[in-house]
Amino acid sequence: MTLKSKNIETILAEKRVFKPSKKFQQRAHIASMKEYLSLYEKSIKDPEKFWGKVASELTWFKKWSKVLDETEAPFYKWFVNGKTNITVNCLDRHLDTATRNKAAIIWEGEPKDRRTLTYSQLLQEVSLFASALKNLGIQRGDRVAIYLPMIPELAISVLACARIGAVHTVIFAGFSAEAIRDRVLDSESKLVITSDGGWRKGNILPLKQTVDDALHECPCVRHVVVVKRGQGEPFPCHIKEGRDHWYHRIIDDASAKCPAEPMDSEDMLFLLYTSGTTGKPKGIIHTTGGYMVYTYLTSKYVFDLRPEDVYWCTADIGWVTGHSYLVYGPLMNGATVFMYEGAPNWPDWGRFWSMIQDNSISIFYTAPTAIRAFMKWGEEWPNKYDLSSLRLLGTVGESINPEAWMWYHRVIGAEKCPIVDTWWQTETGGIMITPLPGCVPTKPGSATVPFFGVDAAVLSEEGKEVEAGILSIRKPWPGMLRGIYGDKERYKQTYWSKWPGKYFPGDGARKDSDGYFWILGRIDDVVNVAGHRIGTAELESIFVEYPSVAESAVIGIDHEIKGKCLVGFITLKDGVLATEALEKELKEWAGKKIGRFAIPDKIIFSADLPKTRSGKIMRRLLRDIATGRALGNVTTLAESNVVEQLREKYEED
Ligand code: WTA
């Protein structure tokens, strides 16, 4: 049985339905299916009217002349000629209201140090750093790379860039020096913001050293700003005269007044790199106006944000979830955001639950891989803490298996919290398919129904609506990506060429008789490992760069905690011996080239790679070998005829 059909069977068997409680429903922003359906219909029939009305709730320097311009599709434009600055909506807008002195960010470091910034303090910090960036010569349109741990300065840096119209590109702090170099070069960043360390599982990460290694080959970088987070030990922080500047020093000399730069709706807000089906990561472009309106509304309705909520999204700002639902969306809604620096199991598996208890967190948004890890460690950990402040739970990153959903519902949500399973992507900017918690009944494992303005459908290769097939979005939406940095053609090819005029996200899906969507995972060569997208082609080309490797194929197979894990099939050059030492070297090589999270769990040396007659690698056969279905447990396929015989057998199937 193929993996996909197994998925379909599990979800076909899933018949449980959970309705929001009366208590939750009564206070919700969208409190009935009738209201959802009527608004949804309006949003699809007249998107310009719908989104124009939403945009009017926000502050603009100049109103748009047209909501949506489709003339150069798929290069859509939203809120044409509008002028705004997203930080005005995240910060300044709240200062004339009671939100002014409310906590915007409550932060906890891994060693339990804490910092709270009210909205007015956050604006002050953002303004100081924005002025300091200007003093270093950063101007609107310049790209700034950010490589920081989850400390308040990460949110401040993102907002400071947006304040002056510089384009931020955040690089997740788990990426290697070479991955940083590639992203800095592709984006031609002028400045890098990093820190002398960051805590993870009781250790300090040597972030500045990694940046120094990356920058040997990055002539475009003129300045590096270094936040002091480490303690000078065990990694001394080398400050390169003229290039490197301590964050705390440059904000000392900076002005606390930094007016927000009026940005055009279609001016670039940020770039975020993500893996694709080729060897090269894509710089996904998001612009100002549409992204702002879309993340504002999705945050408000999906998380049903209320003034008294304390909202925690566990994602790192290095990924899109942290951009949209830790920084921009919640702040535009005046929410109190909780932010945590370190590992979920430090000092023990109770850390998350103790923080929920101690901070009275009411909304908790995390990933299925984390939930599965918590399940494994046992419910005695959450049971030690008072989680009664929680009223809403969410997940993102991959489909949640019904078993994990039920555990989340019962153990964390005490059977009273709705769960929003939110499907979306770096490219979509915001949540696309999701229950609205006050009205949409949930089914474990289903992301349920489309958000306003999202015309989702399940299509066949030919573009016909089918029950199980490929997910598509048939209309543009404000939060959509505007391109791939420096590669217009690849944008058109990747997302808009499968069915003309319709967006192709790369996921398989099924739609049930209630119109609910069940996401079946990637159908392209991207593997979702613990919620991180890894392009198999990218890893394959990295392995082939290794001197003793002739050819490689990388696949994803099921993994209990991570959802999927990677397996690398390697064919060595003539005369090279397949040894355990070599396997270790190859794993280290992948870590060095991308980051530790991209290291395959298994390497299988093979004399040959099975290919179809037209030369395509037979990935199904590789999956069956890796999972033991074809050959039992193997680590070396030394005899070339073994693979050849299997190939023939599989072609007969
Ligand atoms: C997967 C993360 C099923 C999907 C926001 C998508 C999901 C990819 C879900 C995007 C979900 C994300 N159910 N699958 N609720 N959420 N995915 O760009 O395969 O890091 O295409 O964005 O994650 O990952 P990305």
Side-chain angles (χ1 to χ4, degrees):
M1 194 187 320
T2 66
L3 213 82
K4 203 167 274 169
S5 59
K6 208 164 101 195
N7 268 346
I8 292 178
E9 276 189 11
T10 321
I11 61 177
L12 277 176
E14 184 52 63
K15 298 278 187 253
R16 287 169 289 201
V17 178
F18 295 84
K19 289 199 173 134
S21 68
K22 279 267 163 325
K23 189 169 162 226
F24 192 100
Q25 189 161 24
Q26 271 161 7
R27 301 183 64 204
H29 285 299
I30 308 278
S32 73
M33 273 309 265
K34 202 170 144 215
E35 196 182 346
Y36 161 73
L37 289 169
S38 133
L39 269 175
Y40 180 74
E41 197 182 306
K42 284 185 188 149
S43 72
I44 295 293
K45 276 206 175 127
D46 193 347
E48 294 202 55
K49 189 166 167 204
F50 179 88
W51 290 113
K53 202 162 156 232
V54 177
S56 309
E57 292 176 23
L58 295 168
T59 305
W60 297 75
F61 294 121
K62 180 174 160 252
K63 200 181 161 184
W64 55 93
S65 54
K66 182 154 178 40
V67 173
L68 171 63
D69 176 357
E70 305 190 69
T71 45
E72 288 167 52
F75 297 94
Y76 297 96
K77 295 191 183 86
W78 285 87
F79 305 105
V80 183
N81 294 323
K83 301 270 183 276
T84 186
N85 186 297
I86 196 166
T87 69
V88 168
N89 285 297
C90 289
L91 301 169
D92 309 58
R93 195 164 83 95
H94 304 304
L95 292 203
D96 300 332
T97 70
T99 312
R100 178 187 181 90
N101 295 320
K102 179 180 171 179
I105 296 178
I106 300 175
W107 172 81
E108 189 166 309
E110 198 184 67
K112 302 209 171 156
D113 42 344
R114 286 173 67 88
R115 201 170 155 199
T116 298
L117 291 162
T118 64
Y119 271 89
S120 78
Q121 288 167 334
L122 183 58
L123 175 59
Q124 167 130 0
E125 294 289 331
V126 168
S127 303
L128 280 171
F129 189 42
S131 303
L133 288 174
K134 275 198 199 163
N135 293 345
L136 289 173
I138 297 300
Q139 297 173 352
R140 62 185 285 159
D142 287 344
R143 271 80 59 212
V144 171
I146 304 176
Y147 186 72
L148 280 174
M150 282 282 283
I151 53 177
E153 287 79 2
L154 174 48
I156 294 167
S157 299
V158 160
L159 292 164
C161 288
R163 185 103 184 145
I164 60 173
V167 176
H168 55 78
T169 181
V170 184
I171 304 169
F172 170 60
F175 276 109
S176 67
E178 293 194 25
I180 300 173
R181 178 200 62 198
D182 293 348
R183 285 155 179 75
V184 164
L185 287 177
D186 189 77
S187 61
E188 297 159 293
S189 290
K190 269 193 183 168
L191 186 142
V192 180
I193 306 166
T194 187
S195 73
D196 60 346
W199 290 95
R200 188 85 191 169
K201 288 199 187 162
N203 295 315
I204 294 262
L205 304 171
L207 300 183
K208 172 64 164 59
Q209 283 191 359
T210 310
V211 166
D212 284 342
D213 289 347
L215 295 191
H216 289 312
E217 296 167 77
C218 298
C220 52
V221 173
R222 309 221 182 109
H223 298 285
V224 177
V225 176
V226 190
V227 180
K228 186 143 190 57
R229 172 71 184 141
Q231 348 222 288
E233 294 289 340
F235 306 108
C237 180
H238 171 68
I239 294 289
K240 188 169 167 184
E241 226 24 73
R243 186 196 71 175
D244 299 353
H245 315 267
W246 285 108
Y247 179 98
H248 56 274
R249 296 246 169 87
I250 54 170
I251 60 169
D252 259 0
D253 302 332
S255 162
K257 286 221 164 21
C258 182
E261 188 76 21
M263 304 303 289
D264 187 90
S265 291
E266 286 302 338
D267 276 338
M268 220 190 292
L269 174 64
F270 67 85
L271 277 175
L272 189 57
Y273 285 83
T274 187
S275 284
T277 47
T278 69
K280 195 170 173 279
K282 302 176 281 198
I284 301 297
I285 299 173
H286 281 288
T287 58
T288 303
Y291 176 84
M292 176 176 94
V293 171
Y294 198 71
T295 51
Y296 161 71
L297 196 74
T298 45
S299 300
K300 176 173 169 180
Y301 285 158
V302 177
F303 300 112
D304 194 48
L305 288 169
R306 307 185 59 80
E308 64 277 15
D309 278 317
V310 181
Y311 161 92
W312 181 19
C313 163
T314 66
D316 194 292
I317 299 176
W319 309 111
V320 74
T321 307
H323 285 61
S324 302
Y325 299 113
L326 199 154
V327 181
Y328 289 122
L331 294 181
M332 275 189 275
N333 282 279
T336 293
V337 175
F338 182 76
M339 181 175 177
Y340 169 58
E341 177 187 31
N345 53 350
W346 187 264
D348 59 40
W349 283 94
R351 182 61 185 267
F352 269 25
W353 320 121
S354 77
M355 291 192 295
I356 289 177
Q357 170 187 282
D358 297 347
N359 296 283
S360 301
I361 284 161
S362 55
I363 304 172
F364 179 61
Y365 187 38
T366 195
T369 181
I371 296 167
R372 286 190 300 265
F374 288 123
M375 276 172 82
K376 186 170 169 207
W377 289 98
E379 53 194 89
E380 55 272 27
W381 287 106
N383 287 347
K384 281 188 202 170
Y385 299 92
D386 176 6
L387 304 182
S388 59
S389 56
L390 288 171
R391 66 178 197 95
L392 174 61
L393 304 174
T395 71
V396 59
E398 59 179 301
S399 299
I400 176 162
N401 41 315
E403 196 195 344
W405 196 101
M406 289 305 296
W407 187 90
Y408 199 30
H409 169 71
R410 182 176 58 81
V411 180
I412 308 305
E415 300 185 359
K416 71 172 173 66
C417 302
I419 297 178
V420 288
D421 172 353
T422 61
W423 176 86
W424 60 294
Q425 309 179 294
T426 304
E427 291 87 339
T428 68
I431 294 168
M432 301 289 280
I433 301 181
T434 176
L436 296 185
C439 63
V440 178
T442 50
K443 302 183 187 183
S446 170
T448 76
V449 294
F451 189 73
F452 301 127
V454 175
D455 184 12
V458 177
L459 303 181
S460 65
E461 286 284 343
E462 296 73 37
K464 287 213 180 69
E465 268 203 83
V466 287
E467 192 198 325
I470 307 163
L471 187 62
S472 173
I473 311 296
R474 296 181 293 194
K475 272 190 172 34
W477 64 100
M480 60 187 286
L481 77 162
R482 299 299 198 272
I484 295 175
Y485 192 63
D487 202 341
K488 281 191 161 182
E489 201 43 48
R490 190 171 172 200
Y491 165 71
K492 281 208 280 196
Q493 265 302 320
T494 311
Y495 302 108
W496 302 95
S497 66
K498 192 164 197 75
W499 316 280
K502 296 183 184 116
Y503 174 75
F504 167 65
D507 278 317
R510 180 181 155 259
K511 194 173 168 185
D512 71 15
S513 53
D514 294 327
Y516 276 40
F517 287 82
W518 300 76
I519 309 299
L520 301 175
R522 304 290 309 190
I523 56 162
D524 53 7
D525 294 328
V526 172
V527 183
N528 195 333
V529 179
H532 302 324
R533 277 165 65 169
I534 295 165
T536 51
E538 194 180 337
L539 258 182
E540 284 162 7
S541 64
I542 281 170
F543 281 132
V544 173
E545 276 174 42
Y546 197 78
S548 46
V549 172
E551 205 178 5
S552 99
V554 175
I555 54 159
I557 61 169
D558 285 351
H559 185 277
E560 192 193 345
I561 306 284
K562 295 194 266 191
K564 289 262 183 289
C565 68
L566 299 163
V567 178
F569 282 80
I570 304 280
T571 305
L572 295 169
K573 287 190 180 146
D574 274 351
V576 181
L577 284 183
T579 60
E580 260 176 47
L582 183 54
E583 179 180 344
K584 203 165 150 242
E585 276 169 40
L586 286 169
K587 286 184 174 176
E588 272 164 19
W589 179 249
K592 178 168 173 278
K593 290 281 172 178
I594 304 182
R596 297 203 61 77
F597 61 90
I599 296 179
D601 278 28
K602 238 197 245 185
I603 298 270
I604 297 177
F605 292 110
S606 172
D608 223 339
L609 288 178
K611 296 201 184 116
T612 60
R613 277 175 229 293
S614 61
K616 273 185 109 177
I617 290 178
M618 297 172 70
R619 290 176 188 273
R620 183 166 72 93
L621 169 52
L622 294 183
R623 257 189 293 274
D624 286 354
I625 294 173
T627 52
R629 276 195 295 263
L631 275 179
N633 237 345
V634 284
T635 49
T636 317
L637 294 164
E639 306 269 330
S640 65
N641 58 356
V642 174
V643 173
E644 188 55 25
Q645 280 163 11
L646 277 173
R647 183 181 79 80
E648 279 168 19
K649 187 164 154 286
Y650 269 64
E651 275 194 336
E652 281 162 18
D653 276 1

